[in-house]
Amino acid sequence: MLFDDITARVIETPRLNVNILERAGDDPATPSERTVVLIHGNVSSSLFWQELMEDLPGDLRVIAIDLRGFGGTEHAPVDATRGVRDFSDDVRAALETLGIRTAHLVGWAMGAGVIMQYALDHPVLSLTLQSPISPYGFGGTRRDGSRLTDDDAGCGGGAANPDFVHRLIDHDETDAAPTSPRSVFRSSYVAPGFRTENEDLWVQSMLTTSTATGNYPGHSVTSENWPGFGAGTIGVLNTMAPRYFDVSGIADLAEKPPILWVHGTADAVVSDASFSDLNNLGKLGIVPGWPGDEVAPPQEMVSQTRDVLARYSAGGGEVTELGLEGVGHSPHLERPAEFRHALLTVIGYVGPSAHPAPSTEAIIIRSAD
């Protein structure tokens, strides 16, 4: 599953054993200013970063980390009442073990939430947020981030499709059902019609997801509110429930690293009308009994991110938005040249491997002077 010039190793940290990917030949003495750390999203692993790792300049040090319960990292349970802090604390432990004081952090989807939490707790050089979950979590909030219900009805572990979970357990690599990991990759991870020669590898990466108790998806509790369940206290999906997860405080960081926000207009997972949001599915009539916009409005995920980053910018931070038309949940796979150029720009890279800027639809939404 590894590309020829990518290596994997497990490092022992004080918290747990963590699997990392590195590039053969990268110099461990590379300074922090040229160190890039990649954090994957939900139901995936560091394997998804290999194309990007190969494509970045050779004088950078590039490391991809498997979060707990994914890839080759120890399948320790996740305490969801800490939000994503179990994950971000694991990343911190891994970097300290590697002797990396700070770095440029890149996070995808849930991984973007992890690096936002990391930035609240530790200094970073820059943040690249790819298809990030909302700073207010996944589901169950109004535009301003206020929670819809006290028990986060419709959020957390109960929102996972049981058949998809079973197919993860069975290591189903087929496209025989819309709930198979391969079908979900095609319908949710990338825009319709996108094809890649590495699809088998990405599916294998998805299948490294641990479904043990305390990992994916997590448990749920009964709710009197529609759709009948609320967020539990353990497991991956519950970490992003708004009662536990709120990283909107990044807008108030005293020291503000530059932020790059990359997203696609055809993202089925993170959008203002997400197909992973139970409230949106109810509004569309896919989930019965929806009580209406006043009670259960779809979460405006992209708008919430834009609002928080606008406050970040107003407070003196530099924010760059790269919006890619027709791109889905995985811009680094679907539009690698644009993603690469934007990343190198935000980390301030100048070197012999720098390429001319490709044509993009990047928009600087605000740039502090």
Side-chain angles (χ1 to χ4, degrees):
M1 291 195 294
L2 293 178
F3 289 8
D4 289 343
D5 54 354
I6 304 295
T7 64
R9 63 180 171 122
V10 175
I11 59 174
E12 295 183 8
T13 81
R15 293 177 57 81
L16 78 171
N17 294 332
V18 176
N19 185 67
I20 64 171
L21 300 189
E22 299 170 292
R23 301 187 303 182
D26 277 7
D27 184 357
T30 301
S32 297
E33 292 74 17
R34 286 184 175 245
T35 299
V36 178
V37 177
L38 308 170
I39 306 299
H40 64 82
N42 192 18
V43 191
S44 64
S45 75
S46 60
L47 295 173
F48 265 94
W49 293 117
Q50 290 185 91
E51 290 182 348
L52 176 64
M53 293 176 73
E54 283 195 332
D55 201 31
L56 289 174
D59 55 344
L60 297 176
R61 185 183 186 191
V62 185
I63 300 167
I65 296 176
D66 281 336
L67 300 175
R68 66 169 61 194
F70 299 95
T73 289
E74 188 176 333
H75 295 175
V78 181
D79 179 0
T81 65
R82 303 187 70 231
V84 295
R85 290 180 181 87
D86 273 359
F87 294 132
S88 61
D89 287 352
D90 292 345
V91 171
R92 178 65 173 180
L95 295 184
E96 287 184 330
T97 299
L98 293 169
I100 298 172
R101 178 180 55 84
T102 187
H104 300 281
L105 301 188
V106 180
W108 176 27
M110 182 183 76
V114 171
I115 68 170
M116 284 189 276
Q117 181 63 58
Y118 189 102
L120 287 172
D121 299 330
H122 310 288
V124 300
L125 298 179
S126 71
L127 294 173
T128 295
L129 310 175
Q130 176 182 240
S131 309
I133 63 168
S134 163
Y136 300 110
F138 202 96
T141 58
R142 302 175 185 86
R143 172 76 177 261
D144 65 1
S146 57
R147 293 165 59 203
L148 298 176
T149 64
D150 291 337
D151 57 3
D152 291 345
C155 301
N161 185 301
D163 193 60
F164 174 63
V165 177
H166 286 308
R167 290 176 185 276
L168 286 176
I169 294 170
D170 293 340
H171 282 75
D172 180 2
E173 297 189 36
T174 74
D175 60 359
T179 51
S180 73
R182 187 178 299 275
S183 297
V184 169
F185 172 82
R186 293 174 180 173
S187 64
S188 298
Y189 284 47
V190 294
F194 177 79
R195 291 293 181 264
T196 165
E197 63 182 10
N198 287 316
E199 181 177 274
D200 288 347
L201 176 56
W202 310 148
V203 172
Q204 290 173 37
S205 175
M206 295 171 69
L207 294 174
T208 68
T209 301
S210 170
T211 55
T213 300
N215 294 133
Y216 182 84
H219 74 296
S220 63
V221 298
T222 302
S223 172
E224 295 181 357
N225 301 299
W226 183 89
F229 69 86
T233 58
I234 60 171
V236 173
L237 292 187
N238 293 315
T239 67
M240 294 174 279
R243 69 190 301 181
Y244 307 131
F245 180 93
D246 183 346
V247 295
S248 62
I250 64 168
D252 302 316
L253 283 175
E255 299 293 329
K256 292 180 167 63
I259 291 179
L260 169 65
W261 172 29
V262 184
H263 62 100
T265 63
D267 191 337
V269 179
V270 177
S271 77
D272 284 359
S274 168
F275 287 99
S276 296
D277 179 3
L278 267 290
N279 289 357
N280 186 50
L281 295 180
K283 185 172 185 174
L284 294 173
I286 297 171
V287 178
W290 181 63
D293 273 318
E294 288 298 318
V295 176
Q299 184 187 16
E300 298 176 78
M301 303 177 186
V302 173
S303 295
Q304 288 176 330
T305 295
R306 183 169 284 114
D307 291 346
V308 170
L309 293 184
R311 295 204 304 271
Y312 188 91
S313 177
E318 179 181 322
V319 178
T320 303
E321 177 182 355
L322 174 60
L324 295 170
E325 188 70 29
V327 171
H329 192 55
S330 309
H332 74 292
L333 299 182
E334 299 171 71
R335 298 279 281 275
E338 288 92 334
F339 185 89
R340 176 188 186 279
H341 175 73
L343 172 59
L344 292 179
T345 300
V346 79
I347 71 173
Y349 177 80
V350 177
S353 299
H355 297 325
S359 174
T360 72
E361 296 176 31
I363 307 168
I364 306 281
I365 51 174
R366 284 178 177 83
S367 183
D369 295 329

